Amino acid sequence: MPFRRRLDRQGAWKTFNHFLSRNLALIGLGFLITLGGVLSNNYPSTANWGLLQALGAAGLIQLPLIQIKAKYRWIFGFLLLALYQVMLDRFWLTGVMSAVHNGPQGALGWGAMLNIASSLGEIFQDQKTGMRCFSWLSLAILILGSVLAFYVPISKHRASASYVLVSLGLSGLIFFAFQILNARYQIRIPILTDFWKNPLLLYLLHGLDFLPFLYYQLSQAGVLKLHCGWF
């Protein structure tokens, strides 16, 4: 894990400060992107929460627990997910459904997912039983989410517990399949490696499509006086 490697090199204080700053930076960058989307009319005028804010908030939820044993982080993740689902059903459903990327409340669900996923990652790294346990646990999570779907809809717009568990289980099994292809048959797909190394850059590049619209809106409002014919 990047956290462990940095911890060995720089010590606890610098490592925690780095990851705290990184998650806060994700939230700040997300607000800037959301603002651009609002000004370009790509997002609703009430939008104030986007994907990067959700990721940053989930990272902040995980950070205080990142050094505890995987089994305890696993338990915390499931308890947090259960708490979020109860609060969602009783109090937050309308707000979460109407918010972009589930709003700040939805960050609890994503934070739970991140804690469970990081626990799975540590299990996978075990040299003796990691791969076997990882695959069975991923399958168990998928089955649990599928059973829960009879009671809780699988919905990304709700960040529901069933959606979190099904997504996490499927992702684990897909990752395991690619790992088997690489370990046993030496089959590698370079583009997947590139995606893994540059996820934030790829996300930022996908948002460049709103720049022409942003320019048009600002120029119409008199903020910009420059003119480019292809806009």
Side-chain angles (χ1 to χ4, degrees):
M1 293 175 62
F3 182 90
R4 304 294 185 194
R5 292 196 296 268
R6 187 175 289 271
L7 185 65
D8 292 337
R9 293 197 313 267
Q10 299 184 352
W13 173 255
K14 289 186 177 180
T15 300
F16 274 97
N17 185 60
H18 168 80
F19 281 89
L20 175 64
S21 301
R22 188 173 75 171
N23 287 314
L24 291 175
L26 283 174
I27 294 174
L29 181 60
F31 276 119
L32 291 177
I33 293 175
T34 303
L35 176 62
V38 171
L39 292 175
S40 63
N41 287 334
N42 277 3
Y43 297 159
S45 60
T46 56
N48 57 4
W49 195 261
L51 176 62
L52 294 185
Q53 291 96 312
L55 290 175
L60 292 176
I61 292 172
Q62 185 201 25
L63 187 58
L65 305 167
I66 198 168
Q67 280 196 286
I68 69 174
K69 291 183 178 180
K71 62 181 179 180
Y72 298 124
R73 200 160 63 248
W74 175 280
I75 294 171
F76 173 82
F78 276 99
L79 290 176
L80 181 60
L81 186 60
L83 173 63
Y84 167 72
Q85 186 62 53
V86 170
M87 297 299 291
L88 176 68
D89 290 339
R90 294 191 176 184
F91 307 109
W92 294 345
L93 183 58
T94 301
V96 168
M97 289 284 288
S98 61
V100 179
H101 289 288
N102 315 117
Q105 303 98 316
L108 292 180
W110 303 126
M113 185 181 196
L114 188 56
N115 275 282
I116 299 171
S118 65
S119 301
L120 273 177
E122 287 195 26
I123 292 171
F124 176 80
Q125 291 175 345
D126 188 294
Q127 296 297 322
K128 295 182 179 180
T129 61
M131 288 186 65
R132 184 171 66 252
C133 290
F134 178 88
S135 61
W136 285 111
L137 284 173
S138 296
L139 179 60
I141 291 173
L142 174 59
I143 293 173
L144 178 60
S146 300
V147 172
L148 189 59
F150 287 100
Y151 307 95
V152 177
I154 298 178
S155 171
K156 190 268 179 187
H157 296 294
R158 300 178 182 219
S160 62
S162 57
Y163 175 85
V164 167
L165 294 176
V166 168
S167 300
L168 187 56
L170 277 175
S171 298
L173 291 175
I174 293 171
F175 171 81
F176 179 73
F178 280 112
Q179 181 65 22
I180 291 296
L181 289 175
N182 181 35
R184 294 188 179 180
Y185 306 106
Q186 287 73 51
I187 298 176
R188 300 178 64 89
I189 304 177
I191 191 172
L192 295 180
T193 303
D194 294 337
F195 283 175
W196 175 77
K197 290 181 178 179
N198 304 282
L200 181 58
L201 176 61
L202 291 172
Y203 175 74
L204 295 177
L205 289 176
H206 105 280
L208 292 180
D209 60 346
F210 73 73
L211 290 180
F213 302 100
L214 175 60
Y215 176 87
Y216 175 78
Q217 294 294 327
L218 292 178
S219 63
Q220 289 294 103
V223 177
L224 295 178
K225 299 299 183 182
L226 300 177
H227 296 279
C228 296
W230 57 276
F231 278 146

